[in-house]
Amino acid sequence: MSNARVLYINLTGVTCEMMKNLVLAGVAAVVCDNRPYPAAVREVPSSFLKAADMEKIIASSTSEEGEPETKRAKTTETTVGEAISPKVDELNPLLIGRNSIEKRSMSTLPDEYFGQFDAVVASRLSITEARRISSAISKYHKSQKEEHESSNNINGEKYQNNTLFIVTDTFGLDGCAHLDFGASHTYIRELGKDKLSDPTDITPYVSMGKMLDVPLKEATGRWDK
């Protein structure tokens, strides 16, 4: 966990809470959110991402004198990622230097970029954007797995690297999430009291792209235990 990195795309109330918990646990954050601040988040309900609070931080960092703080903050051009960066570092000073801001827009990032993270947490994505990231992550780890298996793997170790992809949003009191754990993810089942199964592969593995192809009304077995 100490070496893990998570990429956050388009911060919202729910993804900020996830980031807060992981940063406090020692997981470095890379924020990719080039939306204009504070307009993009002014109406976002969050105890962590408060536009009014961050405007004070922006105002205190400007050098212009004789101008009201609120005016300086609202006229200072910045992005959501740059505005929230000081608050992220404040959460866990031990991660200063490991946390970072991705200043490129998501659309210009190369496909292989996303697979380098342990997890990608995103909000406010279109279905096309979610498909693209899911496909890019799958292709990256497929090529890494093939390279791993073709190398001198004397011990026959399985390729276990993975990138968890979460797309989540809230709409008032409602919310939704799509989770893609990756083809190499394994899980352990509880078989009884104090008895657990061996690590089991996800079979069949369904990528987020394939999830999005299935209308909810046609998805069967959603309530099976």
Side-chain angles (χ1 to χ4, degrees), residues 131 134 165 177-182 205-216 219:
R131 288 180 191 277
S134 174
F165 182 30
H178 274 79
L179 286 76
D180 186 343
F181 288 95
Y205 163 66
V206 181
S207 67
M208 185 172 295
K210 292 182 179 178
M211 292 182 207
L212 296 173
D213 287 335
V214 181
L216 283 178

Side-chain angles (χ1 to χ4, degrees), residues 7-22:
L7 173 66
Y8 299 88
I9 301 173
N10 296 340
L11 295 174
T12 58
V14 63
T15 56
C16 274
E17 290 300 317
M18 296 170 68
M19 178 171 64
K20 177 189 70 176
N21 292 335
L22 289 174

